[in-house]
Amino acid sequence: MSLQNCLHDTITKNILSSFFENLVPVEPNSKLSVSIVENGILSPIIVWKDKLLIDGQQRLLIARDLKINDIPMVMLQDMVDLESAIECRLLSLKGRLTLIQRIKVIQFFHSHLDITRVTLINRFLPLLDFSSQEHIFRQCLKVMELPSEILSFCEEKKFSLKQAYQLTRFSTALLDSFSTRFSMFSFSASVFIECMDGVHDYLRKHKIEVASFWGNKALLQLLEASKTEAERTLTFRNYLKSLLLPTLIEQNKIITNLAAKLPKGISIKWDPALENKEVQISIISRSKEDLKKQLTTLSNDQEMDTVSSIIDSL
Amino acid sequence: MKRNFTDISIDTSQIDSDAAGELKKLGVKLRTSKTKDIIPDYRQGKRVLKVNPKQGESMDTCATISDKYICCNVKVLKSVSNCPFDCSYCFLQNYLNDGTTSVVGDNEALVNEVKEKIDLEPGRLFRIGTWELGDSLALEEESGQARALIPRFAKLNNVLLELKTKSDCVDSILDLDHQEKTVVSWSLNSEKIVNEQEHRTASLENRLKAMKKVAEAGYLVGLHFDPMIYYKGWEQGYTNLLSDVFKHITPDRIAWISVGSLRFNPEMKKKMEENFPASALTAEEMVKGDDGKIRYVKPLRYQMYDLFFKELKKGLQQDDLSPMTQIHNNKPIVYYCMERWDVWEHTFGHSPESISHLDYLFAKNIHERFPHLHKTLLDQSNY
């Protein structure tokens, strides 16, 4: 269908109107209601070619509720083409749409309207607060393939496009396994991605199915023992770390045991990622004498050997 | 190696270039183009070849962004962009803004820039590779670039050209007058990794056969065992690899050997998983280092390096591989690529003092083993 045909196609206009109405369902604004009852509709609503509401969704809704038939209206007729009309509609919604709503707009335009990809990217992405880049367009379409529960979660947790897009590399089975457990955990966007990523890595490394992972007895016991959602989330994150970083955790345990051998008042810090072969030693002292005593203790062969063993372990 | 490019074009300014000649020989009807269409998808770009003019400065340093990781200070000549191969760990998938496979047609201009820059520091031996954004030899059939560069570098004084490849495209360079000024290097990995992760590259066997051919043609050879990859059976995989390598090359023809392990930035992890969903390379035990790159945890790296260096010592028949100790004819410089100083100490007993020091150690090794390649007096202050 060419753009010219599209301009004259009532079906398109109807689809567009209902799309926007469903996209941003409005709750009646009580202050505006009072004002309309007292003064009527002062500012006209704007409609394109009888069908597409450009501006005035609230006013129209209240007028319908109040059974007001006399609605001032500005009609944009043949002077304005479809793309410009859409542009006006998007401008009226600017700042009011969530990420998922903005992505829905892109997907809708792409699949229902005869608008070129270049126009979508260059003209409409910026109006929806995205940068006008091909990969952003592709990311939007990919995000819309996520299960609806995940999309709702992204909306609720205010995911960025980058964060939502990260979820698209996970299998539907994995996504579903998390969405059925949302009530068990207290995930922020970043913790959710961290956990998804962890399970994803574990499944790939050990070539096991999602169901086997969640059915693991040790995991089930740990989750059952946790009282709150926050506690369960923390337990789950630690469980994942123990699965994903066994060598690191074992080595850190060895170092922690060595560090415990140092006398009271002397503490040691190291890079838990084990990348930096260096330690930071802290001494707590309350006087010059105290400091002398601590330094003497630290320079004992036994303590020096402990520190040396820690450094060797890094 | 026949490539299946769906589109080959040449910039109008490159109609008389070496690449144009090679393409004509292949029977390609040249389509000239002045357009600069960008192909954002790096895989789509692998099907489109363009011969471009040299633009801006092409010679740069292959630099690290963190001083905690020691870099060898090799220079790079940006003469090719993207690659017909499709390695699952390739950083290009997260690096190129334009995925179009392109080669620079102005070989003379490339060499002129090199000459201009190396002449400013005549006391220094430069190593310059053409592999930063692609494979040095994979497109040789279409571009003839190596064939054009090798004789030109043969006439330069203080520089070695490094052509690094995962291909076996060497036949066209065997007869050239190279004066040993070109080091033909191979990126090598265990057979399992070559077969499962280095898609569309030459088989290990064919790479080693090609390596033997260039050595017999008098070229020095470079070996890059990077990235070493951890998988079930890696021990046998890398032991076999080294055993196979030394059946094809003798230590006295090896200029240098680098070793490194798999590393990538967090964004790249996502790209790899997206582009190669069947690969589990990114699912191993890894941590983020000071340079922002994710690597195997150090105890795993040590396990891999310890075994590797044990086998490398056998292959080179050397007990001491340190680049800082005495140099023998059969002792090429062995170095880590992008590893920490303490990893160097773990393996060699000491580490270079700096990036410049390692650069100097390269020159020292070449100077002592191949004095005709670096005739100027060796002076560390030049590095």
Side-chain angles (χ1 to χ4, degrees):
Chain A
M1 188 165 51
S2 73
L3 182 61
Q4 202 56 38
N5 289 337
C6 185
L7 283 169
H8 300 289
D9 192 337
T10 315
I11 298 168
T12 303
K13 286 181 276 175
N14 283 335
I15 292 173
L16 258 175
S17 292
S18 60
F19 169 74
F20 278 116
E21 274 173 34
N22 292 328
L23 182 73
V24 203
V26 289
E27 295 290 318
N29 177 325
S30 56
K31 278 186 186 169
L32 186 61
S33 284
V34 172
S35 164
I36 289 176
V37 168
E38 287 175 3
N39 309 308
I41 296 174
L42 299 175
S43 174
I45 63 169
I46 304 170
V47 176
W48 179 70
K49 294 204 171 189
D50 300 337
K51 294 290 178 188
L52 177 62
L53 179 70
I54 302 293
D55 187 34
Q57 201 173 350
Q58 277 278 358
R59 279 162 280 164
L60 195 60
L61 187 80
I62 294 166
R64 274 180 199 159
D65 283 354
L66 296 173
K67 298 195 171 52
I68 298 172
N69 293 322
D70 188 18
I71 304 169
M73 194 181 294
V74 172
M75 292 282 220
L76 302 177
Q77 290 295 344
D78 297 338
M79 298 288 282
V80 178
D81 63 12
L82 174 66
E83 288 171 12
S84 303
I86 291 172
E87 193 171 292
C88 291
R89 183 71 182 111
L90 292 180
L91 280 169
S92 77
L93 291 170
K94 205 161 171 58
R96 287 167 52 199
L97 300 179
T98 65
L99 170 75
I100 302 300
Q101 286 172 329
R102 290 185 286 139
I103 295 174
K104 275 182 184 166
V105 173
I106 290 298
Q107 192 214 26
F108 177 81
F109 288 179
H110 177 62
S111 52
H112 288 84
L113 302 182
D114 193 18
I115 297 177
T116 65
R117 202 178 172 93
V118 174
T119 305
L120 276 174
I121 293 169
N122 294 337
R123 190 165 177 184
F124 294 124
L125 279 182
L127 284 169
L128 290 159
D129 294 326
F130 293 121
S131 58
S132 55
Q133 288 174 305
E134 165 77 26
H135 78 275
I136 297 287
F137 176 69
R138 279 187 277 135
Q139 286 182 2
C140 287
L141 297 185
K142 195 87 180 137
V143 166
M144 283 314 293
E145 291 172 13
L146 289 168
S148 57
E149 294 81 4
I150 296 290
L151 286 178
S152 304
F153 182 74
C154 291
E155 187 122 274
E156 182 194 331
K157 298 294 176 184
K158 298 187 168 53
F159 274 56
S160 64
L161 175 62
K162 196 177 170 186
Q163 286 175 318
Y165 179 68
Q166 283 190 47
L167 304 180
T168 62
R169 72 198 149 100
F170 302 129
S171 70
T172 311
L174 180 60
L175 289 163
D176 288 345
S177 80
F178 269 86
S179 61
T180 54
R181 290 172 175 84
F182 278 146
S183 58
M184 291 172 66
F185 299 103
S186 163
F187 288 131
S188 62
S190 58
V191 170
F192 181 66
I193 292 166
E194 174 199 304
C195 292
M196 288 284 298
D197 212 18
V199 179
H200 175 64
D201 282 353
Y202 184 75
L203 299 180
R204 288 188 303 132
K205 183 176 175 181
H206 298 281
K207 295 185 172 61
I208 61 165
E209 296 297 319
V210 185
S212 315
F213 172 81
W214 288 106
N216 181 286
K217 276 185 187 172
L219 172 62
L220 289 172
Q221 281 171 0
L222 279 170
L223 295 180
E224 273 172 28
S226 308
K227 287 171 193 149
T228 63
E229 288 151 28
E231 204 180 304
R232 209 170 288 124
T233 309
L234 185 63
T235 303
F236 185 60
R237 291 174 75 188
N238 289 334
Y239 174 75
L240 279 177
K241 271 183 200 158
S242 72
L243 294 179
L244 298 167
L245 300 167
T247 314
L248 202 67
I249 287 173
E250 195 50 43
Q251 194 75 355
N252 272 292
K253 268 187 201 165
I254 293 170
I255 300 171
T256 306
N257 289 337
L258 285 169
K261 289 182 184 172
L262 291 171
K264 213 177 163 185
I266 299 174
S267 62
I268 190 160
K269 275 187 185 171
W270 65 94
D271 174 11
L274 308 179
E275 278 296 288
N276 286 285
K277 197 178 179 67
E278 60 191 23
V279 292
Q280 276 185 351
I281 297 171
S282 313
I283 296 173
I284 299 172
S285 67
R286 292 175 184 82
S287 63
K288 191 176 171 184
E289 285 308 306
D290 203 14
L291 179 62
K292 270 186 189 169
K293 202 174 144 189
Q294 297 276 37
L295 288 174
T296 310
T297 310
L298 188 60
S299 57
N300 286 342
D301 279 350
Q302 197 185 332
E303 320 307 342
M304 293 291 267
D305 285 349
T306 302
V307 173
S308 170
S309 298
I310 292 173
I311 295 172
D312 288 346
S313 305
L314 293 168
Chain B
M1 280 196 173
K2 286 276 175 200
R3 312 271 168 237
N4 294 314
F5 290 110
T6 53
D7 182 42
I8 299 180
S9 66
I10 187 160
D11 186 275
T12 42
S13 66
Q14 300 303 299
I15 205 73
D16 295 322
S17 68
D18 301 311
E22 296 300 321
L23 289 166
K24 276 180 202 159
K25 272 190 230 161
L26 287 174
V28 176
K29 201 176 171 193
L30 293 182
R31 185 175 69 78
T32 52
S33 162
K34 257 289 179 198
T35 58
K36 289 192 171 70
D37 289 341
I38 281 176
I39 303 176
D41 183 273
Y42 90 110
R43 266 201 180 135
Q44 212 183 322
K46 286 178 186 293
R47 315 278 290 172
V48 177
L49 177 66
K50 179 140 194 233
V51 180
N52 280 332
K54 175 181 173 300
Q55 285 166 329
E57 292 203 9
S58 298
M59 186 172 149
D60 205 347
T61 303
C62 174
T64 176
I65 50 166
S66 167
D67 58 7
K68 293 193 175 178
Y69 298 84
I70 298 170
C71 166
C72 76
N73 215 16
V74 66
K75 302 290 170 193
V76 287
L77 193 61
K78 290 169 185 167
S79 60
V80 57
S81 179
N82 209 349
C83 167
F85 304 146
D86 200 14
C87 299
S88 58
Y89 54 76
C90 179
F91 89 111
L92 294 179
Q93 56 195 306
N94 189 43
Y95 186 82
L96 296 174
N97 291 324
D98 180 5
T100 309
T101 307
S102 62
V103 289
V104 174
D106 291 336
N107 294 309
E108 192 67 44
L110 287 172
V111 176
N112 285 343
E113 183 187 330
V114 170
K115 189 169 182 332
E116 202 174 288
K117 286 180 175 166
I118 63 173
D119 281 353
L120 294 173
E121 297 176 83
R124 182 175 164 187
L125 178 66
F126 287 84
R127 291 163 287 122
I128 302 180
T130 57
W131 35 256
E132 198 201 23
L133 301 176
D135 186 289
S136 298
L137 289 170
L139 297 169
E140 191 55 19
E141 194 176 63
E142 290 86 354
S143 72
Q145 189 176 68
R147 204 174 154 74
L149 292 177
I150 292 168
R152 289 176 166 100
F153 270 78
K155 290 176 191 154
L156 301 180
N157 284 327
N158 50 328
V159 63
L160 295 177
L161 170 68
E162 184 181 34
L163 304 172
K164 185 154 65 174
T165 188
K166 286 191 178 93
S167 79
D168 56 359
C169 311
V170 296
D171 290 347
S172 67
I173 63 165
L174 295 177
D175 62 342
L176 298 176
D177 179 17
H178 54 75
Q179 299 287 318
E180 287 187 286
K181 289 289 185 70
T182 294
V183 177
V184 188
S185 294
W186 269 269
S187 170
L188 295 170
N189 225 308
S190 72
E191 195 156 20
K192 183 181 167 70
I193 296 300
V194 170
N195 294 341
E196 294 179 8
Q197 309 292 342
E198 298 180 350
H199 310 286
R200 295 192 232 153
T201 60
S203 68
L204 178 59
E205 190 187 348
N206 285 347
R207 286 187 218 176
L208 295 179
K209 280 182 184 166
M211 185 171 83
K212 193 173 177 191
K213 278 189 200 172
V214 299
E216 284 168 357
Y219 285 96
L220 287 173
V221 165
L223 304 176
H224 298 281
F225 299 99
D226 190 6
M228 284 187 74
I229 290 173
Y230 189 87
Y231 62 93
K232 197 178 175 189
W234 65 269
E235 298 93 331
Q236 199 55 53
Y238 286 104
T239 303
N240 292 348
L241 169 64
L242 284 169
S243 160
D244 289 344
V245 165
F246 288 105
K247 282 176 193 156
H248 290 81
I249 187 93
T250 52
D252 61 316
R253 298 311 299 159
I254 303 174
W256 46 69
I257 299 176
S258 79
V259 181
S261 63
L262 182 65
R263 55 204 177 272
F264 44 80
N265 62 38
E267 281 306 308
M268 168 81 176
K269 179 178 191 286
K270 292 168 207 161
K271 284 275 179 199
M272 285 164 75
E273 289 167 17
E274 202 179 301
N275 293 331
F276 299 92
S279 167
L281 286 192
T282 57
E284 288 301 332
E285 188 174 355
M286 298 176 126
V287 287
K288 196 156 127 180
D290 292 308
D291 59 352
K293 286 189 179 156
I294 298 169
R295 290 175 168 76
Y296 298 121
V297 290
K298 219 195 278 173
L300 285 192
R301 304 214 297 277
Y302 279 161
Q303 269 184 42
M304 293 169 79
Y305 293 152
D306 288 351
L307 177 125
F308 188 87
F309 276 95
K310 193 178 109 197
E311 296 302 318
L312 186 59
K313 281 176 184 174
K314 278 190 211 164
L316 290 170
Q317 297 175 344
Q318 299 286 331
D319 288 333
D320 174 16
L321 295 183
S322 169
M324 285 141 282
T325 53
Q326 203 181 355
I327 296 165
H328 311 288
N329 221 15
N330 289 338
K331 189 184 167 192
I333 183 163
V334 181
Y335 64 105
Y336 274 122
C337 182
M338 301 287 281
E339 264 299 0
R340 308 181 71 93
W341 62 269
D342 53 298
V343 175
W344 277 78
E345 285 195 347
H346 173 88
T347 301
F348 300 112
H350 30 232
S351 73
E353 293 149 21
S354 63
I355 287 170
S356 312
H357 183 215
L358 179 56
D359 197 2
Y360 164 73
L361 291 172
F362 265 89
K364 187 166 183 268
N365 185 286
I366 297 293
H367 183 84
E368 290 190 24
R369 293 173 67 218
F370 311 103
H372 56 288
L373 295 181
H374 188 230
K375 290 176 186 157
T376 46
L377 191 66
L378 197 65
D379 182 352
Q380 194 174 347
S381 65
N382 288 328
Y383 291 85

